[in-house]
Amino acid sequence: MTRRLVIFTTLLVVAAAAAAAAQTERIASEKLVDGIWAAPTPGGCNVGWFVVGNDVIAIDAGANEEVGRAVIEEIQKTAGKKPRYLVVTHAHRDHAGGAAAFEAAGAQVMSAEKAASAVLSVLDAAARGGAAEGKAGASKPAANPVVLTVADHSLFVGSQSRRAEIYYLGPGHTQGDLVVVLPGDGVLFSGDLAVNGVLPYLRGADVDPKGWQRILPRLAALKIDKMVPGHGKIGPLAGIADTAAYIAKVNEIVVRLLLTNPTDTMLEVQLSAPENQIENVRITPEHVANVKAVYQLARAEREKVVSSPNPNPTSTPRPK
């Protein structure tokens, strides 16, 4: 009797864990306008999808294949069909990790040209891992996965009035960020170039803070009513200005820090100085790490310039 009770209790625990896992992978979407949806995912990344003509285009895939499959299920439920294309706004794992699930479901994966290698690596790793471990529901390995790339801009134009514009605006959050604009609907999918209510992530290996600062005024100039940010609340546009203000201020702080060349400890102290504080931003570990990362990048660039020979030395005029 005791043994049966132990087995029964164990089964209840396993069932509860499975139910919790299933609940974690559920996606609850909201309709922004007719034919356009967006949703947060368990990994923290926002995803979206919309109908153009007879096709569904998805934006970002979530952090892993399980999340990706849950997103596809929600797309099927809301749009009535599986996605034909997946646009990956950038190659960070929380946005691209579920791409293999979309590929396995028949979607063509798209990314910026400069993000293609990293996205292909995600697809290859997921396929190899799923095949090697025999994971239930894992993506079917693709012999030669193909990623369509966007070098500058691309368009989806349907037989109806909807038009989707995809743009690469230069290095920013990463070297390969895409944004998707639905001008007729007033909707922007900004990826992590603009976030709502959370700090931008400036600690990536290929971040370009100055380039990012140049991009944001272009997003601010768009005639849009709703934004799906990479992270944070879906809908509000305030994140464009907030992200721009934060990055501009961090760049400004780093210029001052370069004058004193502080140690890590002193850098944190200097962030408490009035001139280095940012309105409505607390000095959290995340903020300190952002400033340190940008400072280290700026210092490395300066040292590179100082150590490099002048590529265009001033020529000495010949005597007449």
Side-chain angles (χ1 to χ4, degrees), residues 7-220:
I7 292 173
F8 180 69
T9 304
T10 302
L11 290 174
L12 284 177
V13 171
V14 171
Q23 186 176 11
T24 300
E25 294 162 10
R26 289 180 60 187
I27 303 297
S29 65
E30 60 178 285
K31 180 186 285 189
L32 302 182
V33 298
D34 191 38
I36 305 175
W37 297 264
T41 64
C45 154
N46 291 324
V47 298
W49 56 94
F50 51 87
V51 178
V52 174
N54 293 320
D55 291 329
V56 177
I57 292 89
I59 312 296
D60 284 335
N64 54 53
E65 290 181 76
E66 289 74 20
V67 172
R69 285 191 287 273
V71 174
I72 293 169
E73 182 179 338
E74 184 69 7
I75 292 173
Q76 179 80 50
K77 184 175 75 173
T78 55
K81 59 183 70 177
K82 292 181 179 180
R84 177 67 184 87
Y85 296 93
L86 167 68
V87 179
V88 178
T89 60
H90 61 288
H92 285 172
R93 182 70 60 167
D94 55 336
H95 293 255
F102 281 79
E103 184 192 41
Q108 173 62 63
V109 180
M110 301 178 64
S111 75
E113 185 175 351
K114 292 188 176 181
S117 295
V119 174
L120 279 171
S121 295
V122 172
L123 295 175
D124 286 335
R128 288 195 306 270
E133 298 175 22
K135 293 179 181 177
S139 301
K140 181 179 179 181
N144 294 294
V146 174
V147 174
L148 289 181
T149 64
V150 178
D152 181 31
H153 70 279
S154 185
L155 302 173
F156 284 108
V157 181
S159 57
Q160 299 174 354
S161 60
R162 178 160 294 145
R163 172 189 179 99
E165 303 176 356
I166 307 171
Y167 292 102
Y168 171 69
L169 301 175
H173 174 66
T174 70
Q175 294 296 303
D177 297 291
L178 292 178
V179 298
V180 181
V181 186
L182 306 178
D185 301 285
V187 176
L188 166 68
F189 295 87
S190 68
D192 281 2
L193 286 171
V195 292
N196 271 331
V198 298
L199 287 183
Y201 184 81
L202 291 119
R203 307 188 293 280
D206 59 346
V207 66
D208 186 334
K210 294 178 182 177
W212 196 345
Q213 186 176 346
R214 289 191 292 268
I215 288 172
L216 287 163
R218 299 179 67 179
L219 298 186

Side-chain angles (χ1 to χ4, degrees), residues 253-270 276 292 294-303:
I253 292 169
V254 165
V255 170
R256 282 195 292 272
L257 292 175
L258 287 171
L259 298 176
T260 58
N261 198 28
T263 63
D264 284 353
T265 302
M266 286 304 300
L267 184 148
E268 292 190 39
V269 172
Q270 291 189 31
N276 291 333
K292 283 183 179 179
V294 177
Y295 169 66
Q296 290 164 358
L297 178 63
R299 187 171 63 179
E301 290 176 349
R302 185 181 64 177
E303 290 172 354

Side-chain angles (χ1 to χ4, degrees), residues 284-297:
T284 61
E286 183 181 12
H287 171 58
V288 172
N290 273 344
V291 176
K292 283 183 179 179
V294 177
Y295 169 66
Q296 290 164 358
L297 178 63

